[in-house]
Amino acid sequence: MAKRRVLDRLPVVHQLRQSVGLQRGMLVAGLVLTAIFLLCALLAPWLAPYSYSQLSGPDGNFGAQQPPSGAHLLGTTVGGYDVLSRVIWGAQTALYVVIVAIVLSVFIGILLGLVSGYLGGWVDRVLVVIADAIYAFPTLLLAIVVAIAISRGQSDLRSGIISAAASITVVFIPQYFRVVRAEVIRVKSEAFVESAKVIGASTPRIMFRHVLRNSTRTLPLIVTLNASEAIATLAALGFLGFGIEPTAAAEWGYDLNKALSDVAAGIWWTSIPPGIAIVLTILGITLIGESLNDLADPRLRARRRAKAQTPADAVAARQPTSQEFMGEVQ
């Protein structure tokens, strides 16, 4: 029983037990697709047959736009790279950018939202105006401007990841800021916060120990949805030519850009694999986010319980004897 209770507290196991029917199917599908993406990213050096920038093997150069074969299961690109290797290594690049972007945006957004919501006054007004201005700016255009300002278009792996993550972070900060600020404004009027003030607790202690703990419950849902948006933004930057250089790392958007001319010539293997990788990765993370969002909605949970119960179960659940047995009626 103890092991079962510990397993039930795990986020994934708990959500799987709550979900039913189509909702469970969406969550399982999202978990499977996301697990494949994570495995490809973490095990890229062992899964990829070649390096992301390798142009030759024991038999000489790979050759450009070679069709799928035993040596190259998905063929080669117009630059002479192995397509399968570039797709697998591209998952690692995407994971790096997503982690850095989410960590930065969550940390900065939560901090600004906490300060703005709790302190109020002119600090709140200034931060709200700045956040609204950033939020009103076109997302992709803002990411392009930030990427150009940081890396001047293209860069190596380290600076490319930082510039791409920074450009995505600027876009995501207002979202976390708004959510945390709204929760902080609600929580700071609660009785336990007033009690902490009465006993003489300092403002930083109240903010970070009492208010912050109760203001971040919905952030996991936003993180999953923003992770998929970060991958899409990264692919868009690479497609437009503001990503990472191909000799520094593999990037799906860049490979799609270079495969545009191949599509008209009937060369499908250079564009379809990276495109499918982008679609399936975004789909998997989005399915998880939408499933968690639905499971966190008490109205939808009540609706699912009502559908799962028979009329006799619903009547029995309302009987005082059963409630007294559960300890709800004294």
Side-chain angles (χ1 to χ4, degrees):
M1 290 294 295
K3 291 183 178 179
R4 185 174 181 180
R5 290 178 180 178
V6 173
L7 290 176
D8 288 342
R9 293 179 181 178
L10 296 176
V12 175
V13 177
H14 179 67
Q15 302 299 339
L16 284 174
R17 289 184 181 277
Q18 276 191 325
S19 60
V20 294
L22 179 61
Q23 188 66 47
R24 175 171 294 182
M26 292 174 56
L27 182 57
V28 171
L31 291 173
V32 170
L33 292 175
T34 305
I36 294 174
F37 163 69
L38 293 176
L39 288 176
C40 289
L42 297 175
L43 303 178
W46 297 276
L47 294 178
Y50 306 100
S51 173
Y52 54 82
S53 59
Q54 187 172 346
L55 294 173
S56 61
D59 299 330
N61 292 334
F62 294 155
Q65 300 172 324
Q66 295 298 313
S69 62
H72 306 283
L73 297 180
L74 296 179
T76 61
T77 67
V78 65
Y81 303 108
D82 182 70
V83 174
L84 178 60
S85 300
R86 295 280 300 179
V87 170
I88 295 176
W89 283 101
Q92 189 177 84
T93 305
L95 181 62
Y96 286 156
V97 173
V98 168
I99 291 176
V100 176
I102 294 298
V103 170
L104 290 176
S105 57
V106 166
F107 178 78
I108 300 175
I110 288 178
L111 181 60
L112 294 179
L114 180 63
V115 172
S116 177
Y118 188 81
L119 298 181
W122 66 270
V123 175
D124 180 47
R125 291 193 295 271
V126 171
L127 292 177
V128 167
V129 170
I130 295 175
D132 289 344
I134 296 176
Y135 200 77
F137 209 79
T139 302
L140 183 57
L141 183 58
L142 180 61
I144 292 174
V145 172
V146 176
I148 294 176
I150 294 177
S151 63
R152 296 183 179 180
Q154 289 195 348
S155 53
D156 57 11
L157 177 60
R158 183 177 178 180
S159 59
I161 290 177
I162 293 175
S163 63
S167 62
I168 297 171
T169 297
V170 173
V171 175
F172 287 170
I173 286 177
Q175 301 180 24
Y176 295 99
F177 170 82
R178 284 184 168 188
V179 172
V180 173
R181 176 182 174 273
E183 287 295 315
V184 168
I185 292 175
R186 180 186 63 83
V187 171
K188 74 176 184 179
S189 61
E190 297 288 341
F192 66 88
V193 176
E194 297 297 331
S195 301
K197 293 179 180 179
V198 170
I199 63 176
S202 62
T203 299
R205 180 180 178 85
I206 296 175
M207 288 173 59
F208 292 98
R209 185 174 181 85
H210 301 288
V211 177
L212 179 61
R213 181 182 299 179
N214 295 278
S215 303
T216 58
R217 297 178 181 178
T218 59
L219 290 185
L221 309 178
I222 304 176
V223 167
T224 55
L225 297 176
N226 282 351
S228 61
E229 187 178 349
I231 294 177
T233 304
L234 175 64
L237 290 174
F239 183 82
L240 296 175
F242 301 103
I244 304 171
E245 294 180 358
T247 56
E251 205 280 304
W252 294 332
Y254 176 89
D255 292 342
L256 276 178
N257 176 272
K258 296 302 179 183
L260 283 178
S261 59
D262 296 343
V263 176
I267 302 176
W268 56 268
W269 55 85
T270 59
S271 58
I272 290 182
I276 291 178
I278 295 173
V279 171
L280 292 182
T281 302
I282 295 176
L283 177 62
I285 300 176
T286 302
L287 286 176
I288 294 177
E290 292 294 339
S291 300
L292 295 178
N293 187 33
D294 291 345
L295 292 173
D297 192 335
R299 295 171 299 178
L300 296 178
R301 288 204 306 267
R303 191 180 305 166
R304 285 194 299 272
R305 293 194 192 101
K307 290 182 179 179
Q309 288 180 338
T310 62
D313 294 335
V315 172
R318 297 189 182 95
Q319 295 299 323
T321 55
S322 63
Q323 295 178 356
E324 183 176 0
F325 177 76
M326 295 298 294
E328 298 179 5
V329 177
Q330 301 296 333

